[in-house]
Amino acid sequence: MEQSRTHRDVVSARYSAAEAEVRVKESLAGVSGELAELGMAVGRAEERADRLQARARAIDSLVDLGSFPPIGGGDFLEAELLHITVTKEIDEELSRIKTEVAGAEPAKETK
């Protein structure tokens, strides 16, 4: 029983000493407990902002995959038609460029 009380007193004394050491070091460094709390609050705000940005990117990905309707409203069918039209235009432009490149290459000699 006595050993238990002694251990409790030692732990209490260590805690008090650690608390005093932190206050002294904060004073010497010009840091107050309020400033430390402010730093932690800023850190938490940054973490929340990071999580919200990640959610926004995830929603954008789902919209791109067609799982959600397009941002800004509109009909899913309209978005698909726009995607098909753009894809067709890209394919046509690629085909035109391939034709131009093929026409510009020197003819290969056959034996």
Side-chain angles (χ1 to χ4, degrees), residues 81-99:
L81 288 173
L82 178 62
H83 176 71
I84 291 169
T85 303
V86 168
T87 302
K88 183 180 177 199
E89 290 172 357
I90 291 171
D91 289 342
E92 289 173 354
E93 181 69 14
L94 182 59
S95 178
R96 185 187 65 73
I97 292 171
K98 285 180 181 179
T99 303

Side-chain angles (χ1 to χ4, degrees), residues 46-101:
E46 288 175 346
E47 289 172 7
R48 281 192 298 258
D50 290 343
R51 283 194 305 268
L52 284 174
Q53 286 177 332
R55 285 177 62 189
R57 286 190 301 270
I59 290 170
D60 284 343
S61 296
L62 290 172
V63 168
D64 291 343
L65 292 172
S67 298
F68 286 150
I71 295 175
D75 186 8
F76 180 75
L77 184 58
E78 289 175 8
E80 282 299 305
L81 288 173
L82 178 62
H83 176 71
I84 291 169
T85 303
V86 168
T87 302
K88 183 180 177 199
E89 290 172 357
I90 291 171
D91 289 342
E92 289 173 354
E93 181 69 14
L94 182 59
S95 178
R96 185 187 65 73
I97 292 171
K98 285 180 181 179
T99 303
E100 286 179 9
V101 169

